[in-house]
Amino acid sequence: MFERSFEKETPIPAPQRRTFDWHTRAGAFERLTPPWDPTQVIEYGGIQDGQRVILKVVAPWPRRWVAQHEDYIDGVQFKDRQIEGPFPRWVHTHRVEPDRLGRPDRCVMRDAIEFKLPMGPLGVIAYRYFMRRQIERMFDHRHATLVADMTDHLEIAGDRKLTVAVTGASGTIGRALSAWLSTGGHTVRGVARRDALTFDYDAVDGADAVVHLAGEPIVQKWDADARSRIRRSRVDRTRLLCEAIGRMPADRRPRVILSGSAVGYYGDRADSILTEDSPNGEGFLAEVARGWEAATRPAEDVGVRVVHLRTGIVLTPRGGALAKMLTPFKLGLGGRLGSGDQHMSWITIDDHVRAMYRCLFDESLSGAVNLVAPDPVTNRRFTRTLASVLQRPAVLPAPRFAMRAVYGEMPDEALLVSQRVEPMRMARAGFRFRQSKL
């Protein structure tokens, strides 16, 4: 009565061996975990027999989930059996099978779960009205992600493998990028910080590429010290990193640097459509972005290709702006910022990581590249859309004076400015956004 099973099978546009290897790498669990699922990895030991994964499952209440792997068949199969967690029994079989038509560049992903419902009759009710749909939704996401990721890795990188040094690897974007790179078979080196301005440059020595993401948070109360930290963390730290790269022997320095920047470069521009050819704007963040980009000159002068990632608002429930918005909006306490007429240029974290990946490999991309979706929206529309998705009202606006009382001058340049930015260079490069509409 309480035993259940679930199975999902999907054709994958990649070879069987390559698809199986994707699952063996450290970033696979993060890539497969749906963005709405707050499950955290406490320990990941691999997928071979006897190796364990320990998770912290948050919903509906915090608890541990410990799974042990078994029945490993290289290139074909692995299983995980729950040995501690919410279900009396849970066995998940992952199989990567040959293509039914024998095509070597295709395979089939099959997930099968056998489990026993908890809580007796109450578990049956929960499964019927809630749990079954959650399992289906989770595996729809997992298989769609696998198809899309394998397609991107093959189309963008092919068989090329890179060693990539990443500053800010523990941040929201850095973690997502590291998971993406590792599942693609690339080597990721986190670049440790030595002090307030310098890094452990040994991690950069011999790397094929550097992705520079580290920087002081923008969303904080601005005073003289905060402004100084923001400027130094971006301008001075970037200059020192690129000077160190410039001193490296030619055969040891990276071929490409992706250096963080921001759409703050353009300043407050009302309804003007902004592309990479638009001039620098006015204000503190515009000044910082200009210095930030100029600070890479020592690397450019020795022939390193540099891409300035002019990033918009990166959307993920796991961190950043959207994570901060979710709680008040879920409580029905959300609303527009100021007038709500200012344009917001956004991008999902998946598309941001994919765009960075394209920038690593596409030698036609250099200089400024806008990393934003092709659908900039007003804050008013963003607010309505988020409230609609969460099925909550959004009738409590945040007036300018209230935001200034909390954050000082920061809202005037980071939250209330209007920046209608378009990704002209990514579009010309043929980049396809997975999430192009809000």
Side-chain angles (χ1 to χ4, degrees):
M1 178 179 180
F2 304 125
E3 298 286 342
R4 294 291 186 276
S5 63
F6 171 85
E7 186 169 318
K8 185 173 180 66
E9 184 177 288
T10 300
I12 307 297
Q16 181 181 6
R17 178 79 249 180
R18 187 163 187 154
T19 303
F20 184 86
D21 287 347
W22 186 96
H23 287 84
T24 68
R25 293 167 182 146
F29 187 86
E30 180 161 345
R31 290 299 304 154
L32 291 174
T33 302
W36 62 83
D37 183 349
T39 297
Q40 300 172 17
V41 180
I42 306 301
E43 179 182 320
Y44 184 82
I47 63 171
Q48 295 195 13
D49 290 355
Q51 295 178 320
R52 292 187 175 191
V53 57
I54 302 177
L55 310 174
K56 180 182 178 181
V57 182
V58 176
W61 64 86
R63 63 203 182 280
R64 290 201 336 158
W65 183 318
V66 181
Q68 182 165 296
H69 288 99
E70 59 185 39
D71 292 349
Y72 177 89
I73 304 173
D74 185 42
V76 178
Q77 171 184 290
F78 61 99
K79 292 183 180 181
D80 54 82
R81 180 184 298 275
Q82 178 202 284
I83 58 176
E84 178 185 336
F87 292 87
R89 187 171 71 89
W90 176 283
V91 181
H92 179 186
T93 302
H94 316 246
R95 281 188 65 85
V96 183
E97 300 175 343
D99 176 67
R100 301 291 187 261
L101 299 178
R103 293 172 293 185
D105 60 343
R106 298 286 188 273
C107 66
V108 174
M109 184 70 213
R110 186 164 69 87
D111 283 287
I113 311 171
E114 297 177 354
F115 57 101
K116 184 177 182 180
L117 296 171
M119 302 182 295
L122 289 177
V124 174
I125 296 171
Y127 181 75
R128 180 179 301 168
Y129 292 104
F130 172 72
M131 196 184 303
R132 179 172 60 187
R133 177 58 192 138
Q134 288 297 98
I135 292 173
E136 291 171 350
R137 187 182 180 211
M138 177 177 69
F139 279 93
D140 285 348
H141 169 83
R142 290 172 69 111
H143 282 225
T145 296
L146 180 60
V147 169
D149 282 17
M150 296 306 300
T151 300
D152 278 340
H153 283 301
L154 284 165
E155 288 184 354
I156 296 173
D159 292 326
R160 293 175 290 177
K161 296 293 184 282
L162 302 179
T163 295
V164 184
V166 182
T167 75
S170 62
T172 301
I173 298 174
R175 290 197 310 271
L177 176 65
S178 297
W180 174 275
L181 290 170
S182 71
T183 51
H186 307 285
T187 300
V188 180
R189 296 179 186 169
V191 183
R193 196 172 71 180
R194 285 179 177 166
D195 52 43
L197 290 179
T198 61
F199 296 101
D200 177 6
Y201 301 124
D202 290 344
V204 177
D205 182 32
D208 299 301
V210 173
V211 182
H212 179 38
L213 301 172
E216 177 78 9
I218 296 295
V219 179
Q220 58 176 298
K221 186 169 185 176
W222 284 5
D223 54 21
D225 286 343
R227 285 172 177 262
S228 177
R229 290 195 305 271
I230 290 169
R231 183 184 290 105
R232 286 187 293 114
S233 73
R234 285 161 171 76
V235 179
D236 297 348
R237 190 184 287 170
T238 300
R239 185 185 68 255
L240 290 169
L241 172 63
C242 290
E243 286 175 349
I245 289 171
R247 292 191 297 268
M248 291 177 180
D251 61 345
R252 302 298 299 171
R253 71 171 69 111
R255 297 191 298 272
V256 58
I257 300 172
L258 308 188
S259 183
S261 185
V263 296
Y265 176 93
Y266 302 109
D268 190 352
R269 305 294 280 275
D271 292 331
S272 299
I273 296 175
L274 305 170
T275 72
E276 291 89 347
D277 294 333
S278 300
N280 186 217
E282 297 180 354
F284 172 68
L285 290 184
E287 172 214 329
V288 168
R290 181 171 63 250
W292 198 358
E293 295 185 6
T296 62
R297 182 60 59 84
E300 296 175 68
D301 287 346
V302 295
V304 177
R305 178 169 64 92
V306 175
V307 181
H308 301 294
L309 307 173
R310 289 185 185 166
T311 298
I313 299 170
V314 180
L315 299 182
T316 170
R318 294 178 179 171
L322 182 58
K324 291 180 173 67
M325 296 178 199
L326 284 177
T327 296
F329 271 80
K330 286 178 178 179
L331 294 173
L333 302 175
R336 57 179 167 78
L337 302 180
S339 70
D341 296 329
Q342 67 272 26
H343 288 276
M344 300 171 59
S345 295
W346 59 274
I347 186 170
T348 64
I349 196 163
D350 252 19
D351 277 338
H352 192 280
V353 166
R354 294 176 58 243
M356 286 193 288
Y357 195 60
R358 177 65 178 270
C359 289
L360 284 173
F361 286 95
D362 190 337
E363 295 186 2
S364 72
L365 292 168
S366 64
V369 176
N370 291 334
L371 295 196
V372 294
D375 181 34
V377 298
T378 63
N379 176 260
R380 189 185 304 274
R381 181 179 153 201
F382 184 96
T383 299
R384 283 201 307 265
T385 304
L386 180 56
S388 174
V389 168
L390 296 175
Q391 300 181 331
R392 296 290 190 275
V395 295
L396 296 175
R400 184 186 296 262
F401 76 86
M403 288 187 284
R404 280 178 170 171
V406 177
Y407 291 115
E409 297 176 1
M410 184 276 293
D412 293 331
E413 292 207 34
L415 302 179
L416 299 174
V417 293
S418 186
Q419 293 159 340
R420 190 178 179 184
V421 183
E422 294 191 348
M424 180 183 71
R425 290 188 177 162
M426 292 304 296
R428 287 179 178 174
F431 181 77
R432 298 185 302 274
F433 287 83
R434 286 188 194 171
Q435 296 98 16
S436 60
K437 296 293 183 182
L438 190 63

